[in-house]
Amino acid sequence: WYQRRVRGIWVLFVFGFTAFLTEYWYSGFYKCCFALLALYVTPKYTRLSGFYLRVNERDDLRILAISLCSLAMFAANLGLLASLESNVCPYATKLPSFPCSEIVYFSFALYVFEAVGFFGFFVLATLLWSNFKFQIGNYIEPVLVEIRDIKYIFAAAKSKNVKEQRSAGLDLANLAASSVDNKFALVAEGGLQVLIDLALSEDEGVRGYAIEAISELLTIKSIQNEFVEIGGVNTLMFALHSADTHIVRESLLAICQLCQDNEDVMVLVLGENGMDDLCHVINTCRMDCVRLVAGIFLDVSFSDNLRGELLKHRKYVPVFERMIRCSDTITQQLCLQTLEMIALTSPDAITAHTDFIAPLLSSISKASDIQVKTISAKLLLYFVDNAQTMSEVLNCSVDIREVLIKLVTTQDNIMQCVAAKILFLLVENDRELLYDDRIMDLVQTLRIKRGRSGSLDVGRQDTYHE
């Protein structure tokens, strides 16, 4: 239909050029201008999106303009017909020796045909302008979310037929996503238990729709409490082992919503094999899922009673190492902030795991984000300040001297202060480092950089003069 309308616009150019052959030949100029205007403001059309214009364009005003111009052209053609009737044709009626020429008949027929065409353009453009008043979704959404009665959906969900269960899961997901009232109506009819049963189905499609519906419902705080009471957290943790990444991601989103400022839910999430389930996601899933797990860990780290569970077993350390070494900056930040929260209240919980030293040194050296470098350097301080882990730092595969060069040469004041503290602790615990030329060069560089601002805080300055 859109292609036919575009061809109709090209007919306007035919009208314009043909008008030069009529009695009032000058009418061809403004008719060609109208054709150009119509071609410029014509909206595009697709089967899915309907009519649309380019971004940031006032579609309603543009269509209204072409509608008014069409009306003006219609009126102009009526004026031409009236002028033709009153100024030319009377001579033919009064003076038979002056009959109307072929040009007059041709002009009369063309003006009538054009008047009908311009009026059609006016009607069509007016309808389009009226249609463009609808905003996205407010006209078709009520039609799209029409679903069957809830009791019939529940009956299909309880059926043993996988096809009916999948259809019921889709209807429940649409119902949960449509409005807040539908969410409460679904829960009031016992929909949470139905969705939990569907989420335990053997079919991936059924589980996907059920988890998606649960994630939508849990955006309401009161629904979260009821979901937790009927044991829904275990269902979400079970879904983390799905082979479908979409199911895992929706489950993690639901868990994130439950864990926000709710320590009781955190206990359920970490209970039994909860940490193993979350670590499984980190080891097997995509980075967007790993980022969600890192956010859950950060929420848990704010709990005084549960913070220690994150590093309770040594088998969880490689998981944090992987997040520190990952390429996603947000995941690195969340992981390092979690470790920093643990270190602030229990430094021994961090220094007991020397496996963190190499990833921290590597992130300081290679990371591009200043926050990642700063938190990594602060965590490294705990290992440098511990006499038992100092040797591990010096003997690490990543040379700390190279890392200190990166810290010292940066323009960030906090990074320089951290580097100064690390240098002081290194020299204070191992005086032989005073004979290391690179260490002393770093000290001197820090003196120059920090001395310019009068804020040198490297430590005991007499130590460096020995």
Side-chain angles (χ1 to χ4, degrees):
W1 190 92
Y2 169 72
Q3 296 295 336
R4 288 198 298 270
R5 186 171 186 273
V6 172
R7 287 195 292 268
I9 292 176
W10 288 110
V11 171
L12 292 179
F13 285 99
V14 176
F15 286 172
F17 293 135
T18 309
F20 288 107
L21 304 177
T22 62
E23 184 72 22
Y24 301 110
W25 57 270
Y26 47 83
S27 63
F29 290 109
Y30 60 80
K31 291 178 181 178
C32 287
C33 293
F34 173 77
L36 290 173
L37 176 64
L39 185 64
Y40 177 71
V41 302
T42 298
K44 302 297 181 183
Y45 177 82
T46 64
R47 182 177 61 84
L48 296 178
S49 303
F51 290 98
Y52 67 94
L53 294 173
R54 290 184 289 272
V55 180
N56 298 327
E57 289 186 349
R58 290 294 304 274
D59 45 20
D60 53 347
L61 296 181
R62 295 165 70 91
I63 300 301
L64 180 61
I66 196 65
S67 176
L68 295 178
C69 289
S70 300
L71 183 61
M73 296 300 297
F74 171 70
N77 266 55
L78 292 182
L80 292 177
L81 286 172
S83 176
L84 196 66
E85 178 68 24
S86 60
N87 297 330
V88 178
C89 292
Y91 292 103
T93 57
K94 296 178 181 179
L95 300 173
S97 59
F98 293 96
C100 291
S101 64
E102 290 79 358
I103 295 179
V104 174
Y105 289 121
F106 174 75
S107 302
F108 186 85
L110 182 64
Y111 293 156
V112 171
F113 185 72
E114 287 181 348
V116 174
F118 286 132
F119 184 77
F121 264 87
F122 166 72
V123 173
L124 179 59
T126 303
L127 291 176
L128 285 178
W129 174 74
S130 177
N131 182 60
F132 270 120
K133 286 183 179 180
F134 292 107
Q135 298 301 317
I136 296 174
N138 68 345
Y139 181 71
I140 63 174
E141 183 180 2
V143 179
L144 292 179
V145 298
E146 283 184 358
I147 57 175
R148 297 172 293 170
D149 189 84
I150 292 180
K151 63 180 181 180
Y152 294 110
I153 300 177
F154 287 171
K158 296 176 182 178
S159 172
K160 294 183 179 180
N161 189 304
V162 175
K163 184 177 180 180
E164 291 186 5
Q165 288 183 345
R166 190 175 298 180
S167 176
L170 177 60
D171 288 336
L172 291 173
N174 290 334
L175 181 64
S178 57
S179 68
V180 176
D181 293 337
N182 287 339
K183 288 182 174 66
F184 285 112
L186 180 59
V187 174
E189 297 292 333
L192 285 177
Q193 187 60 55
V194 174
L195 288 171
I196 289 175
D197 295 337
L198 291 177
L200 298 175
S201 172
E202 296 180 357
D203 182 71
E204 292 284 347
V206 176
R207 290 210 307 270
Y209 289 133
I211 295 296
E212 186 176 345
I214 290 174
S215 180
E216 288 288 343
L217 291 176
L218 293 183
T219 56
I220 308 299
K221 190 69 176 179
S222 58
I223 297 178
Q224 294 179 7
N225 299 330
E226 185 175 348
F227 180 77
V228 173
E229 290 175 359
I230 63 177
V233 176
N234 293 331
T235 303
L236 295 177
M237 301 304 293
F238 174 76
L240 297 180
H241 293 271
S242 173
D244 189 345
T245 306
H246 176 70
I247 295 178
V248 176
R249 187 175 183 277
E250 291 295 330
S251 301
L252 289 172
L253 287 173
I255 294 172
C256 288
Q257 293 170 350
L258 291 173
C259 288
Q260 289 179 356
D261 303 324
N262 195 330
E263 189 170 329
D264 295 334
V265 176
M266 295 179 189
V267 173
L268 296 175
V269 171
L270 298 181
E272 296 183 3
N273 299 321
M275 273 297 295
D276 295 332
D277 296 333
L278 294 174
C279 292
H280 170 76
V281 174
I282 295 176
N283 291 326
T284 59
C285 293
R286 299 182 312 189
M287 192 53 62
D288 56 343
C289 297
V290 175
R291 184 187 301 175
L292 292 173
V293 176
I296 295 173
F297 285 164
L298 182 59
D299 288 334
V300 173
S301 69
F302 285 98
S303 172
D304 296 333
N305 299 324
L306 300 175
R307 190 180 296 124
E309 296 292 328
L310 296 176
L311 294 177
K312 185 176 181 179
H313 300 289
R314 193 171 187 84
K315 61 181 179 179
Y316 302 144
V317 175
V319 174
F320 284 91
E321 288 185 44
R322 184 173 184 269
M323 288 191 289
I324 295 174
R325 294 180 182 273
C326 73
S327 57
D328 184 63
T329 302
I330 298 178
T331 303
Q332 286 181 310
Q333 292 176 355
L334 295 173
C335 177
L336 291 171
Q337 288 171 1
T338 302
L339 295 177
E340 187 179 22
M341 287 296 300
I342 297 174
L344 288 174
T345 56
S346 179
D348 294 338
I350 295 295
T351 56
H353 304 290
T354 56
D355 294 336
F356 285 134
I357 295 176
L360 290 175
L361 289 172
S362 181
S363 64
I364 297 173
S365 177
K366 298 179 181 179
S368 58
D369 185 72
I370 189 66
Q371 186 178 3
V372 172
K373 289 187 176 183
T374 302
I375 301 176
S376 299
K378 290 180 180 179
L379 290 172
L380 185 63
L381 272 175
Y382 291 97
F383 293 96
V384 177
D385 198 21
N386 190 304
Q388 298 178 351
T389 58
M390 170 72 75
S391 58
E392 296 287 343
V393 175
L394 293 173
N395 298 325
C396 182
S397 58
V398 182
D399 191 355
I400 191 173
R401 297 170 182 81
E402 299 295 333
V403 174
L404 287 173
I405 292 175
K406 296 288 183 68
L407 292 176
V408 170
T409 55
T410 185
Q411 300 299 321
D412 187 73
N413 291 332
I414 297 177
M415 300 282 283
Q416 292 178 4
C417 290
V418 173
K421 182 65 175 177
I422 293 175
L423 280 170
F424 172 70
L425 292 173
L426 289 174
V427 175
E428 188 176 44
N429 285 275
D430 188 358
R431 294 303 179 92
E432 293 183 1
L433 292 176
L434 290 169
Y435 302 101
D436 190 314
D437 293 337
R438 285 189 295 176
I439 293 294
M440 298 313 297
D441 288 342
L442 290 174
V443 172
Q444 188 62 28
T445 302
L446 271 176
R447 285 179 181 277
I448 296 173
K449 282 181 170 289
R450 306 297 295 170
R452 289 174 180 173
S453 59
S455 58
L456 178 62
D457 185 19
V458 180
R460 302 177 192 169
Q461 296 193 21
D462 58 335
T463 301
Y464 300 109
H465 287 291
E466 293 185 11

